[in-house]
Amino acid sequence: MSASADLAQIASAAKADAPPAIELAGVNKWFGALHVLRDVNLAVAPGERVVVCGPSGSGKSTMIRCINRLEMHQEGRIAVEGIELSDDVRALDAIRREVGMVFQSFNLFPHLTVLENCTLAPIWVRRMPKKDAEELAMELLARVKIPEQAKKYPGQLSGGQQQRVAIARALCMRPKIMLFDEPTSALDPEMIKEVLDVMVELAGTGMTMMVVTHEMGFARQVADRVVFMDQGEVVEVGTPDQVFNAPKTDRLKLFLSQILRGH
Amino acid sequence: MSDASISTGPRKPPITAVGPIAWAKTNLFSGWLSTAVTLALGYLLIKAALSFVDWAFINAIWSVPSNAQGPQTQICRDMQGSGACWAVIGEKHRFMLFGTYPYEEHWRPALACVLFVVLYIISAIRRFWRWELALVWIGMLTAIGMLMWGGIFGLSYVPQERWGGLPITLILATFGLAFAFPLSILVALGRRSSLPAIKVLCVLYVELIRGVPLISLLFMASVMFPLFLPEGMNIDKLLRAQIAIILFAGAYLAEVVRGGLQALPKGQYEAADAMGLSFWQKTGLIILPQALRMVIPPLVNTFIGFFKDTSLVLIIGIFDLLTAGKTAIVEPAWQGFGVEVYVFIGSIYLIFCYAMSKYSRGLEAELNRHRHR
């Protein structure tokens, strides 16, 4: 085992003392009769970067969408920052304030400018004065390296730019946790890097991140742990080194051979 | 070779490919058949236009002499339809516009109509789209009500039964759409609600109202509804017709709005949810602004349709613009001059509907600018 993997393990062990930022315990979900999440157990420590990978239809997107209740789980317990997801609307609102999300298809609001996209939630949800929200938005747009696009509409930007705006928009809520649902899957190859660079930079700030992605380079570079899912189950969890270099299960071996062949 | 052809840069298209001559050549005279059709249709068009000009202007009679028995319309009748008798408009326009409203008080409904138009213009300017606009509406409509009813500020009281003509049409259309539109948004949202009771209620409303003709709703409002009211209680006939129109327009508009809601990608709802926006914030800031922009054309289509459908109130004896026009030519002296009257009434409808249509096209272009690069 390499030294860096040891360090990563020590780091995540240290973080494990704090209460988990995200905790899934015995989570089950069905779409109709289809069992899409099977007894998922996972805890993410504050500041930890977790990459979730797996073949399509493995339930990885569904899992992270359950964390801010874009999907509802039917069994088990999900808690974010110690707040349990329940039918209580206040708990859900509290969780959504702390959790930022970036989607595969960006989902920017096309009728609002880039700046308005970024200031909307701070103004309406955090009740921030408009001027402060705009300052914050400009600061974050600068951080994702597109401050000059602030007055444009999303439709005038390239896919990579749109996704960077989407990241800035989520960061404007000052979330404690960021969820990424295949953030680079809808992008042209030449734009993937600009988005990944922003995510790597964000990982460097100590943000708790959960990223569904097939970008194995990104996973090796920033992930503390990699979660491999297949058919709704968490099959293997480990450091990038363990998961990519020493897969234990046949399913993971098969998956790795497939994506490596693809690259 | 290739270097030389690059260095010449873009060239202008040949003169035969652009300009009016090229347009006519490709669109009107592209072959012998299309040339023949163009010439034949052109001939018919010019002939029709000329005979209309003859009828409406050259042969037209603009006024008729009057004696003790009333206006002498014989010269109009002698024309035998070869020229328009616009004298009927000159003679009867005030009755057509204001119905049986007391003659010497006609300035009041006239001013009311002007106020309506001013209200439309103010509301059409996007700069004024703020909450204060609601106050302007309340103020204007109150002023219009005071003008029409009177009974205060030294204005004589005019009962609603004597109102008629254009103000009635504008009242029915304005109140109708002003109430039906918000109602339709609520119903459209309700139809997509996850609460079964609200959903069923909205579906029932739309299906019931849409399933019957407007005329039967108007009959119900004017004949059946009073039977359900306690003895001695009486709701104004105009108000009852107004409610029927609001309910009817609301059901149709709700389906148009629902179409817009459904056309929005699911990701927009999810992004708003993920940010922690409440239902009403999400609806008001993200969903409706996009959904309504998408349905401007069918929305205005329905608006225009209902502006004209207000004329159906004639069957329950309310004196709107069209009914007033019809009544104006009941008088024996003017019988038989329907065409002139209907052209006049039709142009008034056309002006309002065309203004709506023209405005909506501008609005659509302006509001959808974000879609263009």
Side-chain angles (χ1 to χ4, degrees), chain A residues 65 68 70 96 99 101 103 107-112 117 120-121 124-125 127 153 155-157 169 173, chain B residues 266-278 281 285-287 289-290 293 369-373:
Chain A
R65 287 161 58 87
N68 61 357
L70 291 183
R96 283 178 172 170
V99 178
M101 186 157 198
F103 299 86
N107 292 346
L108 294 177
F109 304 130
H111 63 301
L112 301 177
N117 262 281
L120 185 85
W124 289 92
V125 181
R127 303 282 168 201
Y153 286 100
Q156 296 168 306
L157 306 184
R169 175 176 77 173
M173 281 294 281
Chain B
K266 206 167 144 237
Q268 294 291 310
Y269 292 84
E270 287 179 350
D273 281 339
M275 291 169 129
L277 294 177
S278 71
Q281 287 171 343
L285 297 167
I286 308 298
I287 306 305
Q290 294 187 66
R293 275 165 220 229
R369 259 188 317 199
H370 65 269
R371 289 204 203 156
H372 307 293
R373 277 170 180 263

Short mmCIF file of all heavy atoms in Angstrom, two decimals, chain A residues 65 68 70 96 99 101 103 107-112 117 120-121 124-125 127 153 155-157 169 173, chain B residues 266-278 281 285-287 289-290 293 369-373:
data_model
loop_
_atom_site.label_atom_id
_atom_site.label_comp_id
_atom_site.label_asym_id
_atom_site.label_seq_id
_atom_site.Cartn_x
_atom_site.Cartn_y
_atom_site.Cartn_z
N ARG A 65 -29.37 11.58 -4.77
CA ARG A 65 -30.60 12.38 -4.85
C ARG A 65 -31.50 12.16 -3.65
O ARG A 65 -32.37 12.98 -3.36
CB ARG A 65 -31.34 12.09 -6.15
CG ARG A 65 -30.63 12.70 -7.38
CD ARG A 65 -31.07 12.04 -8.65
NE ARG A 65 -32.51 12.15 -8.83
CZ ARG A 65 -33.10 13.20 -9.40
NH1 ARG A 65 -32.38 14.18 -9.86
NH2 ARG A 65 -34.41 13.22 -9.52
N ASN A 68 -30.81 14.88 -0.49
CA ASN A 68 -31.59 16.12 -0.31
C ASN A 68 -33.05 15.93 -0.75
O ASN A 68 -33.74 16.86 -1.07
CB ASN A 68 -30.94 17.31 -1.02
CG ASN A 68 -30.83 17.09 -2.50
OD1 ASN A 68 -31.19 16.04 -3.01
ND2 ASN A 68 -30.36 18.10 -3.20
N LEU A 70 -34.57 14.76 -3.36
CA LEU A 70 -35.14 14.87 -4.70
C LEU A 70 -35.82 13.53 -5.02
O LEU A 70 -36.73 13.46 -5.84
CB LEU A 70 -34.06 15.19 -5.73
CG LEU A 70 -33.46 16.59 -5.60
CD1 LEU A 70 -32.45 16.84 -6.69
CD2 LEU A 70 -34.53 17.66 -5.61
N ARG A 96 -31.67 21.18 3.02
CA ARG A 96 -31.43 21.72 1.69
C ARG A 96 -30.62 23.01 1.73
O ARG A 96 -29.92 23.34 0.77
CB ARG A 96 -32.76 21.94 0.96
CG ARG A 96 -33.32 20.63 0.44
CD ARG A 96 -34.66 20.80 -0.24
NE ARG A 96 -35.07 19.56 -0.89
CZ ARG A 96 -36.27 19.36 -1.40
NH1 ARG A 96 -37.19 20.32 -1.34
NH2 ARG A 96 -36.58 18.22 -1.98
N VAL A 99 -26.97 21.77 1.90
CA VAL A 99 -26.48 20.87 0.87
C VAL A 99 -26.62 21.53 -0.50
O VAL A 99 -27.72 21.88 -0.91
CB VAL A 99 -27.28 19.54 0.89
CG1 VAL A 99 -26.80 18.62 -0.22
CG2 VAL A 99 -27.13 18.86 2.24
N MET A 101 -26.20 21.30 -4.67
CA MET A 101 -26.19 20.20 -5.63
C MET A 101 -25.88 20.70 -7.03
O MET A 101 -26.34 21.75 -7.46
CB MET A 101 -27.55 19.50 -5.63
CG MET A 101 -27.56 18.26 -6.50
SD MET A 101 -28.86 17.15 -5.99
CE MET A 101 -28.35 15.63 -6.73
N PHE A 103 -25.98 19.38 -11.03
CA PHE A 103 -26.63 18.34 -11.83
C PHE A 103 -25.87 18.05 -13.12
O PHE A 103 -25.14 18.91 -13.63
CB PHE A 103 -28.04 18.78 -12.21
CG PHE A 103 -28.95 19.02 -11.03
CD1 PHE A 103 -28.97 20.26 -10.40
CD2 PHE A 103 -29.80 18.03 -10.56
CE1 PHE A 103 -29.81 20.50 -9.32
CE2 PHE A 103 -30.64 18.26 -9.50
CZ PHE A 103 -30.64 19.49 -8.87
N ASN A 107 -29.10 22.53 -15.20
CA ASN A 107 -30.35 23.06 -14.63
C ASN A 107 -30.25 24.50 -14.17
O ASN A 107 -30.83 24.88 -13.16
CB ASN A 107 -30.83 22.19 -13.47
CG ASN A 107 -31.26 20.82 -13.94
OD1 ASN A 107 -31.44 20.61 -15.13
ND2 ASN A 107 -31.43 19.90 -13.03
N LEU A 108 -29.53 25.32 -14.93
CA LEU A 108 -29.58 26.75 -14.65
C LEU A 108 -30.95 27.27 -15.06
O LEU A 108 -31.64 26.65 -15.86
CB LEU A 108 -28.49 27.48 -15.44
CG LEU A 108 -27.06 27.14 -15.03
CD1 LEU A 108 -26.08 27.87 -15.94
CD2 LEU A 108 -26.80 27.50 -13.58
N PHE A 109 -31.35 28.40 -14.48
CA PHE A 109 -32.65 28.97 -14.83
C PHE A 109 -32.47 29.86 -16.06
O PHE A 109 -31.85 30.92 -15.97
CB PHE A 109 -33.21 29.77 -13.65
CG PHE A 109 -33.31 28.94 -12.40
CD1 PHE A 109 -32.80 29.39 -11.20
CD2 PHE A 109 -33.92 27.68 -12.43
CE1 PHE A 109 -32.89 28.61 -10.05
CE2 PHE A 109 -34.02 26.90 -11.29
CZ PHE A 109 -33.49 27.36 -10.10
N PRO A 110 -33.01 29.46 -17.20
CA PRO A 110 -32.66 30.14 -18.45
C PRO A 110 -33.20 31.57 -18.55
O PRO A 110 -32.69 32.36 -19.32
CB PRO A 110 -33.31 29.25 -19.53
CG PRO A 110 -34.37 28.49 -18.83
CD PRO A 110 -33.88 28.30 -17.42
N HIS A 111 -34.24 31.88 -17.74
CA HIS A 111 -34.82 33.22 -17.86
C HIS A 111 -34.12 34.23 -16.97
O HIS A 111 -34.47 35.40 -16.97
CB HIS A 111 -36.32 33.17 -17.54
CG HIS A 111 -36.60 32.76 -16.12
ND1 HIS A 111 -36.18 31.55 -15.62
CD2 HIS A 111 -37.25 33.38 -15.13
CE1 HIS A 111 -36.57 31.45 -14.35
NE2 HIS A 111 -37.22 32.55 -14.04
N LEU A 112 -33.15 33.77 -16.19
CA LEU A 112 -32.42 34.68 -15.31
C LEU A 112 -30.97 34.78 -15.78
O LEU A 112 -30.42 33.82 -16.33
CB LEU A 112 -32.46 34.16 -13.88
CG LEU A 112 -33.84 33.96 -13.25
CD1 LEU A 112 -33.70 33.36 -11.86
CD2 LEU A 112 -34.59 35.27 -13.18
N ASN A 117 -29.14 33.98 -11.31
CA ASN A 117 -29.13 32.57 -10.94
C ASN A 117 -28.43 32.36 -9.61
O ASN A 117 -28.87 31.59 -8.77
CB ASN A 117 -28.41 31.75 -12.02
CG ASN A 117 -29.37 31.11 -13.01
OD1 ASN A 117 -29.97 30.09 -12.70
ND2 ASN A 117 -29.53 31.72 -14.18
N LEU A 120 -30.36 34.28 -6.44
CA LEU A 120 -31.77 33.95 -6.15
C LEU A 120 -31.95 33.28 -4.78
O LEU A 120 -32.68 33.78 -3.92
CB LEU A 120 -32.30 33.03 -7.25
CG LEU A 120 -33.79 32.71 -7.13
CD1 LEU A 120 -34.61 33.80 -7.78
CD2 LEU A 120 -34.11 31.38 -7.78
N ALA A 121 -31.25 32.17 -4.58
CA ALA A 121 -31.44 31.43 -3.33
C ALA A 121 -30.92 32.20 -2.11
O ALA A 121 -31.61 32.26 -1.09
CB ALA A 121 -30.81 30.05 -3.43
N TRP A 124 -33.66 34.78 -1.38
CA TRP A 124 -35.00 34.31 -0.99
C TRP A 124 -34.96 33.29 0.14
O TRP A 124 -35.89 33.22 0.93
CB TRP A 124 -35.74 33.74 -2.19
CG TRP A 124 -36.13 34.82 -3.15
CD1 TRP A 124 -35.41 35.26 -4.21
CD2 TRP A 124 -37.30 35.64 -3.10
NE1 TRP A 124 -36.06 36.29 -4.84
CE2 TRP A 124 -37.23 36.54 -4.19
CE3 TRP A 124 -38.42 35.69 -2.26
CZ2 TRP A 124 -38.22 37.49 -4.44
CZ3 TRP A 124 -39.40 36.63 -2.52
CH2 TRP A 124 -39.30 37.52 -3.60
N VAL A 125 -33.91 32.47 0.18
CA VAL A 125 -33.86 31.43 1.21
C VAL A 125 -33.06 31.90 2.43
O VAL A 125 -33.49 31.74 3.56
CB VAL A 125 -33.28 30.13 0.64
CG1 VAL A 125 -33.27 29.05 1.71
CG2 VAL A 125 -34.09 29.68 -0.57
N ARG A 127 -32.35 35.07 2.97
CA ARG A 127 -32.78 36.44 3.29
C ARG A 127 -31.59 37.40 3.33
O ARG A 127 -31.51 38.29 4.18
CB ARG A 127 -33.52 36.48 4.64
CG ARG A 127 -34.72 35.56 4.70
CD ARG A 127 -35.88 36.19 3.98
NE ARG A 127 -36.96 35.22 3.76
CZ ARG A 127 -37.90 35.36 2.84
NH1 ARG A 127 -37.90 36.42 2.06
NH2 ARG A 127 -38.85 34.48 2.71
N TYR A 153 -27.09 35.50 -20.19
CA TYR A 153 -28.05 34.45 -19.87
C TYR A 153 -27.38 33.09 -20.08
O TYR A 153 -26.48 32.96 -20.92
CB TYR A 153 -29.29 34.57 -20.77
CG TYR A 153 -30.17 35.73 -20.38
CD1 TYR A 153 -30.12 36.93 -21.08
CD2 TYR A 153 -31.04 35.62 -19.30
CE1 TYR A 153 -30.92 38.01 -20.71
CE2 TYR A 153 -31.83 36.70 -18.92
CZ TYR A 153 -31.76 37.88 -19.63
OH TYR A 153 -32.55 38.93 -19.25
N GLY A 155 -28.12 30.54 -21.70
CA GLY A 155 -28.12 30.05 -23.06
C GLY A 155 -27.00 30.60 -23.92
O GLY A 155 -26.71 30.10 -25.00
N GLN A 156 -26.35 31.68 -23.41
CA GLN A 156 -25.27 32.28 -24.19
C GLN A 156 -23.91 31.69 -23.83
O GLN A 156 -22.90 32.09 -24.38
CB GLN A 156 -25.24 33.80 -23.92
CG GLN A 156 -26.51 34.49 -24.40
CD GLN A 156 -26.62 35.91 -23.87
OE1 GLN A 156 -26.55 36.14 -22.67
NE2 GLN A 156 -26.81 36.86 -24.76
N LEU A 157 -23.90 30.74 -22.88
CA LEU A 157 -22.63 30.18 -22.42
C LEU A 157 -22.42 28.78 -22.97
O LEU A 157 -23.37 28.09 -23.33
CB LEU A 157 -22.61 30.11 -20.89
CG LEU A 157 -22.90 31.40 -20.12
CD1 LEU A 157 -22.74 31.16 -18.63
CD2 LEU A 157 -21.99 32.53 -20.56
N ARG A 169 -23.38 28.83 -8.31
CA ARG A 169 -24.73 29.05 -7.79
C ARG A 169 -24.95 28.24 -6.51
O ARG A 169 -25.52 28.74 -5.54
CB ARG A 169 -25.76 28.65 -8.86
CG ARG A 169 -27.19 28.74 -8.37
CD ARG A 169 -28.17 28.44 -9.46
NE ARG A 169 -28.28 27.01 -9.74
CZ ARG A 169 -29.18 26.48 -10.56
NH1 ARG A 169 -30.03 27.26 -11.20
NH2 ARG A 169 -29.23 25.18 -10.76
N MET A 173 -24.96 29.54 -1.62
CA MET A 173 -25.75 29.26 -0.41
C MET A 173 -24.83 28.92 0.76
O MET A 173 -25.31 28.58 1.83
CB MET A 173 -26.71 28.10 -0.68
CG MET A 173 -27.96 28.51 -1.44
SD MET A 173 -28.99 29.60 -0.48
CE MET A 173 -29.81 28.42 0.60
N LYS B 266 -38.03 18.80 -15.97
CA LYS B 266 -38.09 18.43 -14.56
C LYS B 266 -36.91 19.02 -13.79
O LYS B 266 -37.01 19.33 -12.61
CB LYS B 266 -38.05 16.90 -14.48
CG LYS B 266 -38.68 16.33 -13.25
CD LYS B 266 -38.88 14.82 -13.44
CE LYS B 266 -38.65 14.07 -12.15
NZ LYS B 266 -37.63 13.04 -12.21
N GLY B 267 -35.78 19.18 -14.48
CA GLY B 267 -34.58 19.70 -13.84
C GLY B 267 -34.79 21.07 -13.22
O GLY B 267 -34.14 21.41 -12.23
N GLN B 268 -35.68 21.89 -13.82
CA GLN B 268 -35.93 23.21 -13.27
C GLN B 268 -36.57 23.11 -11.89
O GLN B 268 -36.24 23.85 -10.98
CB GLN B 268 -36.83 24.02 -14.22
CG GLN B 268 -36.18 24.34 -15.54
CD GLN B 268 -35.05 25.33 -15.39
OE1 GLN B 268 -35.21 26.37 -14.77
NE2 GLN B 268 -33.90 25.01 -15.92
N TYR B 269 -37.52 22.18 -11.76
CA TYR B 269 -38.16 21.97 -10.46
C TYR B 269 -37.13 21.45 -9.46
O TYR B 269 -37.08 21.89 -8.32
CB TYR B 269 -39.29 20.93 -10.57
CG TYR B 269 -40.50 21.37 -11.37
CD1 TYR B 269 -40.53 21.27 -12.75
CD2 TYR B 269 -41.63 21.85 -10.72
CE1 TYR B 269 -41.64 21.66 -13.47
CE2 TYR B 269 -42.75 22.24 -11.43
CZ TYR B 269 -42.75 22.14 -12.82
OH TYR B 269 -43.86 22.52 -13.52
N GLU B 270 -36.30 20.51 -9.92
CA GLU B 270 -35.33 19.89 -9.02
C GLU B 270 -34.29 20.89 -8.55
O GLU B 270 -33.91 20.91 -7.37
CB GLU B 270 -34.64 18.71 -9.72
CG GLU B 270 -35.56 17.53 -9.86
CD GLU B 270 -34.90 16.37 -10.56
OE1 GLU B 270 -33.79 16.55 -11.11
OE2 GLU B 270 -35.50 15.27 -10.57
N ALA B 271 -33.81 21.74 -9.48
CA ALA B 271 -32.81 22.72 -9.10
C ALA B 271 -33.39 23.67 -8.05
O ALA B 271 -32.73 24.00 -7.06
CB ALA B 271 -32.33 23.50 -10.32
N ALA B 272 -34.65 24.09 -8.26
CA ALA B 272 -35.28 25.00 -7.30
C ALA B 272 -35.47 24.30 -5.95
O ALA B 272 -35.23 24.89 -4.90
CB ALA B 272 -36.62 25.48 -7.85
N ASP B 273 -35.87 23.03 -5.99
CA ASP B 273 -36.02 22.27 -4.74
C ASP B 273 -34.69 22.15 -4.01
O ASP B 273 -34.60 22.35 -2.81
CB ASP B 273 -36.54 20.85 -5.04
CG ASP B 273 -38.04 20.86 -5.29
OD1 ASP B 273 -38.70 21.83 -4.84
OD2 ASP B 273 -38.54 19.91 -5.92
N ALA B 274 -33.66 21.80 -4.78
CA ALA B 274 -32.36 21.55 -4.16
C ALA B 274 -31.81 22.80 -3.49
O ALA B 274 -31.04 22.72 -2.54
CB ALA B 274 -31.36 21.04 -5.21
N MET B 275 -32.21 24.00 -4.00
CA MET B 275 -31.74 25.23 -3.39
C MET B 275 -32.51 25.58 -2.13
O MET B 275 -32.18 26.55 -1.46
CB MET B 275 -31.95 26.39 -4.37
CG MET B 275 -31.06 26.35 -5.56
SD MET B 275 -31.70 27.59 -6.66
CE MET B 275 -30.26 28.47 -7.00
N GLY B 276 -33.58 24.84 -1.86
CA GLY B 276 -34.35 25.10 -0.66
C GLY B 276 -35.43 26.15 -0.83
O GLY B 276 -35.95 26.67 0.16
N LEU B 277 -35.78 26.48 -2.08
CA LEU B 277 -36.88 27.42 -2.29
C LEU B 277 -38.18 26.79 -1.83
O LEU B 277 -38.39 25.58 -2.01
CB LEU B 277 -36.99 27.80 -3.77
CG LEU B 277 -35.84 28.59 -4.40
CD1 LEU B 277 -36.10 28.81 -5.88
CD2 LEU B 277 -35.68 29.93 -3.71
N SER B 278 -39.07 27.59 -1.24
CA SER B 278 -40.37 27.06 -0.84
C SER B 278 -41.24 26.86 -2.09
O SER B 278 -40.90 27.32 -3.17
CB SER B 278 -41.07 28.04 0.09
OG SER B 278 -41.48 29.17 -0.64
N GLN B 281 -42.17 30.18 -3.65
CA GLN B 281 -40.99 30.83 -4.25
C GLN B 281 -40.62 30.15 -5.55
O GLN B 281 -40.38 30.79 -6.57
CB GLN B 281 -39.80 30.77 -3.28
CG GLN B 281 -39.94 31.70 -2.10
CD GLN B 281 -38.86 31.46 -1.06
OE1 GLN B 281 -38.21 30.42 -1.04
NE2 GLN B 281 -38.68 32.42 -0.17
N LEU B 285 -40.99 32.31 -8.85
CA LEU B 285 -39.73 32.83 -9.36
C LEU B 285 -39.17 32.00 -10.51
O LEU B 285 -38.47 32.52 -11.38
CB LEU B 285 -38.69 32.89 -8.24
CG LEU B 285 -39.01 33.81 -7.07
CD1 LEU B 285 -38.07 33.55 -5.90
CD2 LEU B 285 -38.90 35.26 -7.51
N ILE B 286 -39.44 30.71 -10.49
CA ILE B 286 -38.81 29.84 -11.48
C ILE B 286 -39.83 29.27 -12.47
O ILE B 286 -39.66 29.37 -13.68
CB ILE B 286 -38.10 28.64 -10.78
CG1 ILE B 286 -37.17 29.15 -9.69
CG2 ILE B 286 -37.39 27.77 -11.80
CD1 ILE B 286 -36.06 30.02 -10.17
N ILE B 287 -40.90 28.70 -11.95
CA ILE B 287 -41.78 27.92 -12.81
C ILE B 287 -42.69 28.82 -13.65
O ILE B 287 -42.65 28.77 -14.89
CB ILE B 287 -42.65 26.95 -11.96
CG1 ILE B 287 -41.75 26.09 -11.06
CG2 ILE B 287 -43.51 26.09 -12.85
CD1 ILE B 287 -40.67 25.32 -11.76
N PRO B 289 -42.70 32.13 -14.37
CA PRO B 289 -42.10 33.03 -15.36
C PRO B 289 -41.71 32.30 -16.65
O PRO B 289 -41.85 32.85 -17.73
CB PRO B 289 -40.86 33.57 -14.64
CG PRO B 289 -41.14 33.43 -13.19
CD PRO B 289 -42.01 32.22 -13.06
N GLN B 290 -41.25 31.07 -16.51
CA GLN B 290 -40.87 30.34 -17.72
C GLN B 290 -42.08 29.74 -18.41
O GLN B 290 -42.20 29.79 -19.63
CB GLN B 290 -39.89 29.22 -17.37
CG GLN B 290 -38.57 29.72 -16.86
CD GLN B 290 -37.59 28.57 -16.70
OE1 GLN B 290 -37.18 27.95 -17.66
NE2 GLN B 290 -37.24 28.28 -15.47
N ARG B 293 -44.25 32.39 -20.26
CA ARG B 293 -43.62 32.88 -21.49
C ARG B 293 -43.83 31.92 -22.65
O ARG B 293 -44.03 32.32 -23.78
CB ARG B 293 -42.12 33.01 -21.30
CG ARG B 293 -41.71 34.31 -20.68
CD ARG B 293 -40.28 34.19 -20.20
NE ARG B 293 -40.20 34.87 -18.93
CZ ARG B 293 -39.26 35.75 -18.62
NH1 ARG B 293 -38.32 36.02 -19.48
NH2 ARG B 293 -39.27 36.35 -17.48
N ARG B 369 -36.06 36.85 -25.15
CA ARG B 369 -34.74 37.22 -25.63
C ARG B 369 -33.65 36.31 -25.10
O ARG B 369 -32.67 36.03 -25.77
CB ARG B 369 -34.42 38.65 -25.23
CG ARG B 369 -34.61 39.62 -26.37
CD ARG B 369 -34.09 40.97 -25.98
NE ARG B 369 -34.51 41.26 -24.59
CZ ARG B 369 -34.53 42.46 -24.08
NH1 ARG B 369 -34.17 43.48 -24.80
NH2 ARG B 369 -34.91 42.67 -22.83
N HIS B 370 -33.86 35.79 -23.86
CA HIS B 370 -32.82 34.96 -23.26
C HIS B 370 -32.60 33.67 -24.04
O HIS B 370 -31.60 33.01 -23.87
CB HIS B 370 -33.19 34.63 -21.82
CG HIS B 370 -34.41 33.78 -21.70
ND1 HIS B 370 -35.67 34.31 -21.57
CD2 HIS B 370 -34.55 32.44 -21.71
CE1 HIS B 370 -36.53 33.31 -21.49
NE2 HIS B 370 -35.90 32.18 -21.56
N ARG B 371 -33.58 33.31 -24.89
CA ARG B 371 -33.40 32.06 -25.63
C ARG B 371 -32.46 32.23 -26.81
O ARG B 371 -31.99 31.27 -27.37
CB ARG B 371 -34.75 31.58 -26.16
CG ARG B 371 -35.62 31.10 -25.04
CD ARG B 371 -36.63 30.14 -25.60
NE ARG B 371 -37.77 30.10 -24.72
CZ ARG B 371 -38.97 29.73 -25.11
NH1 ARG B 371 -39.18 29.40 -26.36
NH2 ARG B 371 -39.97 29.70 -24.27
N HIS B 372 -32.24 33.50 -27.21
CA HIS B 372 -31.40 33.71 -28.38
C HIS B 372 -29.98 34.01 -27.95
O HIS B 372 -29.74 34.61 -26.91
CB HIS B 372 -31.95 34.87 -29.21
CG HIS B 372 -33.39 34.67 -29.55
ND1 HIS B 372 -33.83 33.68 -30.38
CD2 HIS B 372 -34.50 35.31 -29.10
CE1 HIS B 372 -35.15 33.74 -30.46
NE2 HIS B 372 -35.59 34.69 -29.68
N ARG B 373 -29.08 33.60 -28.76
CA ARG B 373 -27.69 33.84 -28.42
C ARG B 373 -27.26 35.25 -28.75
O ARG B 373 -27.81 35.88 -29.61
CB ARG B 373 -26.81 32.84 -29.18
CG ARG B 373 -26.78 31.56 -28.43
CD ARG B 373 -26.14 30.44 -29.22
NE ARG B 373 -26.17 29.25 -28.40
CZ ARG B 373 -25.13 28.86 -27.66
NH1 ARG B 373 -24.02 29.55 -27.66
NH2 ARG B 373 -25.24 27.77 -26.93
#
